Each structure stands twice: as C-alpha cells, then as structure tokens.
C-alpha cells in the first residue's frame, strides 16, 4: 500500500470540505486505490501552520473548525505562525492549496506553490490566481522537479473539465472552448429570465449565499476571465495577459434586454470563450453576455450550474455540464487531482 502525506494550506470552506471528504473516504480510497492519505500539515491565516508527522486527527480538526477554535489546540503538533515557515520546515508528498484567490499577483498562493514544487512536492490547487497568472511558469517548475502541478477544481470545481480535455481528449486538436464558467452570474441571468430586475436578483443571490457581499469579481466578469486564462495556458499552451481577454460583465443587462432575447427564442448567458483566429494560432478570448439560440446546449443551463462546450477536430462538439462551486464539489476536484498525482508518480 502507498502511504501519501498531505499538507493543506487554506482551511476555509474548501479546505474544511477537503478534510471532511478525506475523513469520509479514507477507507474507500485504501480499498479502491491501495493508498492511504495522511494529512500531516494544515495552515490558515489566523493560526498559522500545524504539523504532526504521524498524521493530524481529522475529526478533531473538523471539530475545531466547527467551534471556531484555533488549530493550535490540536495536541502533539508542531506550530509555526507563518505558513511559509511551516511549509519549508516540514515534509509531505503533496501540497493542497486552498487559500483565497488574488488576481493581481496570485500571492500568497504563488509563493507557497513555488516553495512546494521546488521541494519536489506535487501541488494541487483550487485557487485561480496562480493558474491564471503563472500556469506555464509553474508547470515548467513542476516538470524540472519531476512533480505535478494540477488545478482541476479552479475551473468548474469538481466537474472534470481540465482532465477531460487534457487527458480524456489527448490527441484531438481543440479549436474552441465556450463556457458558462461563473455560477453567480448564471444564477442572476436565469432569474432575470423569469421577469425580475438585476438589482433585486443580485440582492436575493447575496441573501442565499450565491453571490459575495462584494460581487464585483463575478458580475464584472473577472472570475470568468481568470478561468479562461487558465484554460488558454493549459489547453492551448498559450498564456494570456488579462488585457488580452475582452471583458464585459452583466451589470448593465436590463430586464427588457432579457425579454427581447426570450421573444426571439434566445437566452442571454455570460459566455467565456477561447478560439483560434482563422489562419493563425493566435487566440481570441472574451467574456461577455451573448444571446444564444435555444439550439445551443449552453442556453439551457440554468441556475448556478456551469457548462463548457469544447470543439475538436475529431469529436465535433462535447459539452460538459456540472456544478461550478461548493464545499464538497470543490473538495472532490482536489481529491481527484491528489489521486492523479499518486497514480502518475509519487516520490518514495
Ligand atoms: N468556495 C468554492 O466553492 C470554491 C470553488 C472553486 C474554487 N475556490 C477557490 O478555493 C480557494 C479557497 O476558497 P474558500 O471558499 O475555501 O475560501 P475561504 O473560506 O475564504 O478560506 C480561505 C482560507 O485561506 C486562509 N488564508 C487566508 N490567507 C492566507 C494566507 N496568507 N496563508 C494561509 N492561509 C490563508 C484563510 O484563513 P482564515 O481561516 O484564518 O481566514 C481560510 O482558512 C479560493 O482560491 C477560491 O477561489 C472556491
């Protein structure tokens, strides 16, 4: 049996979801994959980094989180206030990175990921910042050190988009991607299609937890831009700068515009798209509201659900539909990446 040691940075919604999933699945993973995953390190911003070489107590970590108690209450664990110090001073096989997304400079995640890859740890992340701003640099660094850098859950959470395209569609030549990659805006536009105003629906989405208190990253399209930048780097091997992605959010869409589209047999969706310009390999990237005919599978994807349509030379069109966020859904994407690292190569 393989024994794999994990360190987790970021112990919020996603990090706690991962610990819960691990606690629930440990036995199953042992039987199914002959692999035992041990969580040896956990860090957050408030309490720093704790480490126990023999493994941390998963139910206790869950209890500490539930009761708002500090990680440092975990018995027999070493502690560093600065997560970087803990990461540098301890040993694990895989870093699971789930700290907040920062689309300006991808920090602090970028430093954590750099340190882990340089120390021959595989890295899996749910964070969009590092993949959007530095995917190729980090993939190169991973290659140099003989490890994996994976980010399935950064695009459509646990719905397998990146692995389906990069591994499941290996050998196909991808010509375009078009997707609904942001659940908040799709929830708002879907609700507006039943005759409601943008402001009213946004307030409702915030009350129900579908939208952040500051919804700018979602409604102005920045979140979808980050995901399209990740896909450009991973699928087309062409990193884009943020200004190379045409961006328009949904804040100016009116109830009347939504109704005009419905009367014409269409639905307005915030579509993130990537395609190669005819006759060259240059990528044309955009995130903007588009009125889609009902014959387009994306037009019928409603609520917080996400979807992506991939066009390839050998498959015509493939559409993947599924959750784009959520505690367990995102943790599942991290778990799939962890198991892929174990399968593809693990340092002994
Ligand atoms: N939530 C989703 O459905 C979802 C879906 C896909 C991707 N993601 C991505 O997953 C990541 C985590 O999301 P989340 O919803 O779990 O966020 P969250 O609930 O805000 O949790 C963030 C965690 O990161 C910790 N943190 C903040 N600054 C840190 C630092 N400098 N060093 C170490 N840890 C730090 C926080 O510490 P404290 O607890 O001390 O504040 C917290 O534990 C984000 O990048 C997000 O974009 C989330």
């Amino acid at each position: 049996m393989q024994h794999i040691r994990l360190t987790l940075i970021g112990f919020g919604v996603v990090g706690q979801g991962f610990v819960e999933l691990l606690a629930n699945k440990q036995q199953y993973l042992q039987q199914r994959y002959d692999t035992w995953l041990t969580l040896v390190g956990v860090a957050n911003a408030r309490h720093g980094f704790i480490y126990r070489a023999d493994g941390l107590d998963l139910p206790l970590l869950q209890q500490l989180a539930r009761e708002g108690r500090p990680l440092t209450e975990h018995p027999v664990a070493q502690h560093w206030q600065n997560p970087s110090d803990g990461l540098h001073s301890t040993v694990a096989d895989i870093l699971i990175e789930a700290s907040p997304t920062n689309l300006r400079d991808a920090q602090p995640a970028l430093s954590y990921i750099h340190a882990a890859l340089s120390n021959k740890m595989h890295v899996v992340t749910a964070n969009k910042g590092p993949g959007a701003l530095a995917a190729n640099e980090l993939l190169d660094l991973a290659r140099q050190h003989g490890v994996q850098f994976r980010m399935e859950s950064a695009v459509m959470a646990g719905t397998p988009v990146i692995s389906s395209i990069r591994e499941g569609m290996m050998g196909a030549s991808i010509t375009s991607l078009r997707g609904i990659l942001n659940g908040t805006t799709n929830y708002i536009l879907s609700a507006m299609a039943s005759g409601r105003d943008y402001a009213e629906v946004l307030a409702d989405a915030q009350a129900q937890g579908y939208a952040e208190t500051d919804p700018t990253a979602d409604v102005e399209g920045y979140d979808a831009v980050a995901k399209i930048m990740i896909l450009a780097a991973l699928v087309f091997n062409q990193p884009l700068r943020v200004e190379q992605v045409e961006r328009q959010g949904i804040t100016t869409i009116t109830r009347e515009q939504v109704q005009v589209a419905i009367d014409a047999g269409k639905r307005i969706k915030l579509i993130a798209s990537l395609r190669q310009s005819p006759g060259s390999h240059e990528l044309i990237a955009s995130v903007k509201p588009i009125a889609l005919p009902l014959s387009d599978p994306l037009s019928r994807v409603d609520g917080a659900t996400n979807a992506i349509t991939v066009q390839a030379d050998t498959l015509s069109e493939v559409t993947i539909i599924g959750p784009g966020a959520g505690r367990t859904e995102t943790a599942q994407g991290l778990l799939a990446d962890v198991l892929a690292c174990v399968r593809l190569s693990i340092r002994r």
Side-chain angles (χ1 to χ4, degrees), residues 5 11 127 129 140 151 186 203 242 293:
R5 296 157 299 181
F11 192 48
N127 190 327
D140 281 348
M151 54 198 115
N186 204 46
V242 69

Side-chain angles (χ1 to χ4, degrees), residues 8-17 42-49 71 81-84 97-102 107-109 112 125-130 152-158 212 223 227 324-331 334:
L8 169 66
I9 296 190
F11 192 48
V13 172
V14 171
Q16 290 171 31
V42 175
N44 66 12
R46 285 163 301 152
H47 316 128
F49 188 106
L71 288 172
Q81 189 52 44
N82 182 337
S84 286
E97 202 289 318
S99 72
T101 288
N102 163 357
Q107 292 296 0
Y112 297 144
T125 184
N127 190 327
K128 292 165 280 283
E152 183 64 78
S153 47
V155 180
M156 284 176 64
E212 304 280 342
D223 174 76
K227 291 166 180 167
R327 172 186 166 98
T328 306
E329 293 82 348
T330 309
L334 292 170

Side-chain angles (χ1 to χ4, degrees), residues 175 236 238 240 244 274-285:
T175 48
F236 293 94
Q238 287 189 44
L240 295 174
Q244 291 176 288
L274 269 181
R275 63 187 166 85
Q276 283 178 321
S277 65
S280 87
H281 286 298
E282 199 186 322
L283 279 183
I284 300 173

Side-chain angles (χ1 to χ4, degrees), residues 14-324:
V14 171
Q16 290 171 31
F18 181 81
V19 169
E20 183 179 288
L21 190 62
L22 186 57
N24 292 339
K25 294 246 177 198
Q26 243 166 352
Q27 301 288 344
Y28 168 75
L29 300 177
Q30 181 185 17
Q31 287 160 13
R32 178 72 177 78
Y33 302 104
D34 199 26
T35 296
W36 187 263
L37 300 177
T38 303
L39 187 67
V40 292
V42 175
N44 66 12
R46 285 163 301 152
H47 316 128
F49 188 106
I50 61 163
Y51 177 80
R52 183 167 180 262
D54 290 340
L56 297 163
D57 180 334
L58 302 183
L60 176 60
L61 286 175
Q62 292 173 272
Q63 187 185 351
L64 293 176
R66 233 181 1 257
E67 295 174 1
R69 288 158 56 201
L71 288 172
T72 46
E73 285 191 24
H74 189 295
V76 210
Q78 288 172 269
H79 174 246
W80 293 261
Q81 189 52 44
N82 182 337
S84 286
D85 294 341
L87 187 61
H88 278 105
S89 312
T90 56
V91 182
D93 301 295
I94 303 177
L95 170 66
I96 298 156
E97 202 289 318
S99 72
T101 288
N102 163 357
L103 296 176
R104 287 180 307 281
D105 61 9
Q107 292 296 0
L110 190 57
S111 299
Y112 297 144
I113 293 174
H114 239 276
L117 293 174
S118 302
N119 194 25
K120 294 188 167 27
M121 286 171 77
H122 300 278
V123 174
V124 313
T125 184
N127 190 327
K128 292 165 280 283
L133 302 184
N136 284 28
E137 177 205 328
L138 294 171
L139 288 166
D140 281 348
L141 187 63
R143 232 170 271 129
Q144 278 168 32
H145 292 280
V147 289
Q148 297 264 317
F149 171 54
R150 302 181 69 95
M151 54 198 115
E152 183 64 78
S153 47
V155 180
M156 284 176 64
T159 305
V161 171
I162 293 174
S163 56
S164 296
I165 300 175
R166 277 171 60 95
E167 288 151 34
M169 296 173 76
M170 236 187 258
S173 174
I174 310 294
T175 48
S176 80
L177 301 175
R178 290 183 316 120
I180 295 171
L181 300 182
N182 180 271
T184 305
T185 45
N186 204 46
Y187 175 89
I188 293 173
L189 290 172
S190 303
M192 287 176 76
S194 57
R196 297 168 67 198
D197 277 324
Y198 171 80
E200 176 199 340
V201 177
L202 174 61
D204 181 30
Q206 285 170 319
Q208 294 197 44
Y210 285 119
E212 304 280 342
T213 316
D214 176 1
T216 311
D218 292 324
V219 297
E220 294 292 0
Y222 293 106
D223 174 76
V225 166
K227 291 166 180 167
I228 223 65
M229 290 169 73
I230 292 173
L231 292 170
L234 291 187
V235 176
F236 293 94
N237 203 22
Q238 287 189 44
L240 295 174
R241 292 186 309 281
V242 69
E243 60 275 13
Q244 291 176 288
V245 185
E246 180 192 350
R247 180 189 53 80
Q248 187 192 330
I250 63 161
T251 51
T252 57
I253 302 284
T254 62
R255 185 167 57 171
E256 289 69 31
Q257 286 170 310
V258 171
Q259 191 55 50
V260 167
I262 291 172
D263 293 343
K266 296 181 175 183
R267 294 288 182 277
I268 295 181
K269 297 290 180 187
L270 184 68
I271 297 298
S273 107
L274 269 181
R275 63 187 166 85
Q276 283 178 321
S277 65
S280 87
H281 286 298
E282 199 186 322
L283 279 183
I284 300 173
S286 64
V287 170
K288 57 185 176 187
I290 297 180
L292 299 177
L294 290 178
S295 56
D296 187 320
L298 297 183
S299 73
R300 286 171 269 127
V301 174
D302 286 327
T305 302
N306 282 197
I308 191 163
T309 297
V310 185
Q311 281 191 322
D313 56 349
T314 45
L315 285 165
S316 128
E317 273 195 5
V318 173
T319 298
I320 302 168
I321 301 175

